[in-house]
Amino acid sequence: MIRPALSAPARSAIALSAAALACAWAAPAAADTLVDNIQGITIDTDGEVETFTGLVIGDDGRIAKVLSRRDKRPRDTDFHVDGEGRFVIPGIVDSHLHVMGIGLAALTLDLSDTTSLAEAQQKIAAYAAANPGRRWIIGRGWNQEKWGLGRFPTAEELDAAVADRPVWLERVDGHAGWANTAAMRIAGVDADTPDPAGGRIERVAGTRRPAGVFVDAASELVAARLPALRPEDRDLALQKAQDALLRQGVTAVADMGTTIEDWQSYRRAGDGGWLKIRIMAYAAGTGAMELIGGPGPTPWLYDDRLRLNGVKIYLDGALGSRGAWLKRPYADDPGNTGLPLLTGSQLRNLMSRAALDRFQVAVHAIGDAANAEVLTAIDELSETYEGDRRWRIEHAQVVDPADIPRFARHGTIASMQPVHQTSDRQMAELRLDPPRLAGAYAWKSMTGGGTPLVFGSDAPVESADPFAGLAAAITRRGADGQPFGGWYPAEAVGREQALASFTSLGAYAGFAEGRFGRIAEGEWADFVLIDTDPLLATPEELRATRVLQTWVGGERLFLAGEAADD
C-alpha cells in the first residue's frame, strides 16, 4: 500500500487565500512507511558514497532505519512503497535562489527564452495585448548577450512594442532594468537625474538623456514606482515556486534576499500547513534582518521548514551588466572596473552588525576586487567574532587565483552556481582576459584548498533544475556539449563532490546538518526518486534525469504524472 499523495494546490488566475491553500495542501495522517526495492545513494559526513536498498520512515517523518540488501524488512509498517528499482538520492538543497522571484516569474512576462531583440519585442507586445487591464507591464529575463546585440536595448525599442503603458523588465541577472519612455516619465527620470551611488543610468551617446537601461542601484529609480504586491499575490507566488521546486526534486533552499513581506508569506504558509519546502532565509539587508529576527537568528519553525539564518549583503553587481567589481578594467570596456555598491567601511559595518548578534553573513561578490575585499573583511572581523561563523561568499565567480587559498583560512563557504559557467562562458571571455579566466568559476581549485563548496541555481536567473547543475559541474560543458572537452576542464569536480555540494554540504552551509541533506537515521525523510544513476550516467543522461517522486518529511509531495498544471 502506498502512502497517500497530497493533492495538488488548485491553480487560479486570481490570488488564493491562505485558507484555500491550506486545504489544497492537506497532509495525510502520519504513519510508518517502508520504501523498498530502491538503489539508494547518499554522501556521508566524510564525503564518501553510501548505498542502501530500503528506508523505514517513522510516523514523525524522520528516517528510522536505512536498510541494506542483507537487512530484514519490517513487517509492521503501515505503508509500503515499491521503488521498482529506481534510484533514490537525498532531496536537493539549492544553496542560492530567490523563492519569490521564481513564483513571480511564473506570474509575469518571462523573456528568458528569447534569442533576439525582435523576438523579445514581439513577445512583449503580445503579452501587453493579452493583458489589457494591467496598469504596468512587468517582466524579467532579457539578455542582450544572448540576443547578440552587443549593447543594451533602448527605451525607444521598448516603446516600439508598448508605448501606451509603463513597462519595466529586469535583466536575467537582476542587476539591470529596462524601461520604456512611459515608465521613465512616471519615475521622473530625465537628463538632470544623477547616477545614484552604486548604480549607473545608461545614457544616449553624446548626451545626458537616459537611454532606458538602469544598472544596479539605479534600477530602484524606476522599480520604486511599481505597484505594490498584495499579500495574496505573494502567497500565490510562493505556491507557484513550491510547485516548481518540488517537480525538480528540490526540497530545501537558501532564499537569498528575504524581505519582511516574503517572510510573512512564509509564516502564513507555515501557519496554514502548506509550507512544504525547507527555507533557510537570508534577509535582504540588515534592516530586514532586524525586523524578522530581532535579537538573533530565529529558531527552526514548522518541523524545520523555516528559519532566518542571517543576512544577504550586496558588494557588487554582475558580469553581464559590467557591474561586477574588478581589480583591473574590463577587457571589452577600458576604464570601467565595475560598481562597488559599498565602501570598505560600509561593508565591515554591515557585516559586524550582523555578526554581533550571530546572524550568518552571506555577501554577494562576483568580481575579483569584490571577492578580495570580502575576504579581507572576514580576516579582520574574525579576530573579534570567533567561533563557528560559516561566513559565505555568494557566487565567488571571478577570483584572483592568488586569493583562492584565502577562502579556507576561516572556513569561508564558496556558494557557487555551476550553470552560470555554462551560460556565461562566452560573455566571460569577452569581459576578461585569460589570466583572470583562470580564477573564474574555479570549483576544483576551491575544494583543493579545503574550501567548503556548495552549489545552487540562482533561480529564476537560471533554471532551478539541479541535474543541469550536476552535469555542468562534472563536465564544464553546456547542454549543447560545448566546448569540446570542457571549458577550463581542470576546474570540473567529481560526481561525489557535485552531489555533496547539492545535498549534505548545502545543509551544512545553512547550519542544518543533522536535520536534512543526507539519508541517515534521525534526519528528515527528504528524498527524491529518479530514473538515472547520477554516479554512472553520461552527462547527457544526467541532464535528462526525470524526477519521479519528491518526498519531504516523510510525505510524498510530488508524483510524476500527478503534478499541478503549469
Side-chain angles (χ1 to χ4, degrees):
M1 179 178 181
I2 197 164
R3 167 170 269 184
L6 299 179
S7 60
R11 299 284 186 162
S12 174
I14 61 174
L16 301 179
S17 69
L21 288 168
C23 291
W25 281 107
D32 288 343
T33 300
L34 170 64
V35 181
D36 204 6
N37 189 19
I38 55 177
Q39 301 183 62
I41 300 166
T42 190
I43 306 296
D44 67 16
T45 54
D46 296 321
E48 300 296 325
V49 173
E50 290 185 347
T51 60
F52 54 92
T53 60
L55 294 172
V56 178
I57 304 169
D59 61 8
D60 61 354
R62 297 179 185 272
I63 297 171
K65 192 169 181 59
V66 180
L67 303 169
S68 70
R69 193 175 303 279
R70 299 185 303 273
D71 292 327
K72 290 184 178 179
R73 271 42 182 171
R75 297 180 179 276
D76 57 349
T77 54
D78 296 280
F79 298 103
H80 176 220
V81 177
D82 182 358
E84 300 180 341
R86 300 297 193 176
F87 298 92
V88 169
I89 60 173
I92 296 295
V93 181
D94 189 310
S95 290
H96 185 117
L97 53 64
H98 310 278
V99 173
M100 281 299 174
I102 295 171
L104 292 172
L107 299 172
T108 56
L109 174 60
D110 181 10
L111 296 174
S112 60
D113 61 347
T114 58
T115 57
S116 68
L117 173 61
E119 183 184 358
Q121 289 172 312
Q122 183 179 20
K123 191 169 184 178
I124 295 163
Y127 182 87
N131 295 275
R134 298 199 175 180
R135 292 185 294 130
W136 282 69
I137 300 301
I138 300 170
R140 61 166 308 281
W142 60 271
N143 184 349
Q144 81 282 3
E145 299 295 333
K146 186 176 178 181
W147 294 346
L149 201 57
R151 59 172 175 80
F152 281 128
T154 67
E156 286 76 10
E157 288 164 333
L158 193 46
D159 291 342
V162 179
D164 63 333
R165 280 173 282 170
V167 181
W168 177 248
L169 306 168
E170 279 194 356
R171 192 180 184 277
V172 63
D173 57 14
H175 286 273
W178 180 20
N180 69 351
T181 300
M184 292 192 293
R185 185 182 305 117
I186 289 172
V189 176
D190 57 27
D192 295 326
T193 304
D195 289 354
R200 182 177 68 250
I201 302 172
E202 292 294 315
R203 313 278 179 173
V204 175
T207 76
R208 291 279 302 167
R209 185 161 61 88
V213 167
F214 299 78
V215 179
D216 287 315
S219 293
E220 191 60 21
L221 295 171
V222 180
R225 304 303 298 269
L226 297 178
L229 291 172
R230 302 169 301 167
E232 51 265 44
D233 297 328
R234 293 182 185 277
D235 290 352
L236 181 57
L238 175 57
Q239 176 209 345
K240 293 276 189 179
Q242 289 193 112
D243 288 346
L245 293 168
L246 292 169
R247 282 198 302 270
Q248 293 172 311
V250 178
T251 59
V253 303
D255 185 40
M256 287 293 163
T258 307
T259 66
I260 183 63
E261 294 85 1
D262 297 340
W263 179 262
Q264 290 299 91
S265 184
Y266 304 158
R267 290 299 304 265
R268 287 192 295 273
D271 291 343
W274 56 276
L275 181 62
K276 295 302 167 182
I277 62 171
R278 304 191 188 278
I279 300 177
M280 299 172 285
Y282 293 80
T286 55
M289 176 192 80
E290 293 174 356
L291 280 172
I292 297 168
T298 68
W300 287 95
L301 305 169
Y302 312 116
D303 291 334
D304 294 343
R305 277 182 166 82
L306 181 64
R307 181 180 188 247
L308 179 73
N309 282 11
V311 63
K312 165 80 174 298
I313 299 170
Y314 281 95
L315 181 55
D316 68 345
L319 202 61
S321 54
R322 298 188 185 86
W325 183 23
L326 302 179
K327 292 184 175 181
R328 293 182 288 108
Y330 282 84
D332 60 350
D333 191 6
N336 178 17
T337 57
L339 289 169
L341 304 181
L342 300 168
T343 66
S345 294
Q346 289 171 328
L347 173 66
R348 286 158 179 77
N349 286 342
L350 293 172
M351 293 175 68
S352 181
R353 169 66 193 90
L356 183 66
D357 287 330
R358 302 201 69 85
F359 289 101
Q360 188 183 14
V361 175
V363 183
H364 166 115
I366 288 184
D368 53 8
N371 278 279
E373 183 69 14
V374 181
L375 290 166
T376 299
I378 290 172
D379 283 341
E380 297 168 2
L381 293 173
S382 292
E383 297 178 7
T384 301
Y385 303 108
E386 300 177 340
D388 186 7
R389 296 289 173 164
R390 302 189 197 180
W391 310 95
R392 297 175 59 130
I393 296 183
E394 303 303 314
H395 306 303
Q397 202 163 309
V398 181
V399 181
D400 186 328
D403 288 329
I404 290 177
R406 300 175 64 194
F407 276 77
R409 188 177 302 167
H410 301 289
T412 299
I413 294 163
S415 172
M416 305 178 76
Q417 300 76 45
V419 287
H420 280 335
Q421 181 266 306
T422 53
S423 296
D424 293 354
R425 68 174 179 84
Q426 291 178 314
M427 176 268 292
E429 289 171 348
L430 295 173
R431 301 282 190 271
L432 307 169
D433 46 61
R436 286 185 288 189
L437 289 173
Y441 318 90
W443 312 318
K444 186 67 172 182
S445 293
M446 289 289 185
T447 60
T451 296
L453 174 68
V454 299
F455 284 152
S457 65
D458 203 11
V461 175
E462 302 277 1
S463 165
D465 177 11
F467 301 100
L470 284 166
I474 66 174
T475 66
R476 309 276 289 188
R477 290 188 280 123
D480 59 358
Q482 296 299 315
F484 179 77
W487 191 77
Y488 291 82
E491 291 297 342
V493 296
R495 292 173 186 252
E496 295 83 356
Q497 174 67 57
L499 185 59
S501 293
F502 266 118
T503 56
S504 56
L505 289 174
Y508 166 83
F511 286 93
E513 70 274 20
R515 299 174 188 271
F516 53 85
R518 296 182 303 137
I519 296 178
E521 292 181 13
E523 296 203 12
W524 289 108
D526 298 356
F527 59 91
V528 186
L529 273 76
I530 56 178
D531 66 350
T532 305
D533 184 345
L535 299 183
L536 294 177
T538 66
E540 293 73 23
E541 290 170 339
L542 191 54
R543 286 183 179 275
T545 297
R546 184 168 176 242
V547 174
L548 304 173
Q549 298 182 28
T550 303
W551 292 62
V552 182
E555 298 177 20
R556 191 182 65 202
L557 302 184
F558 169 76
L559 176 65
E562 294 185 6
D565 295 333
D566 289 332

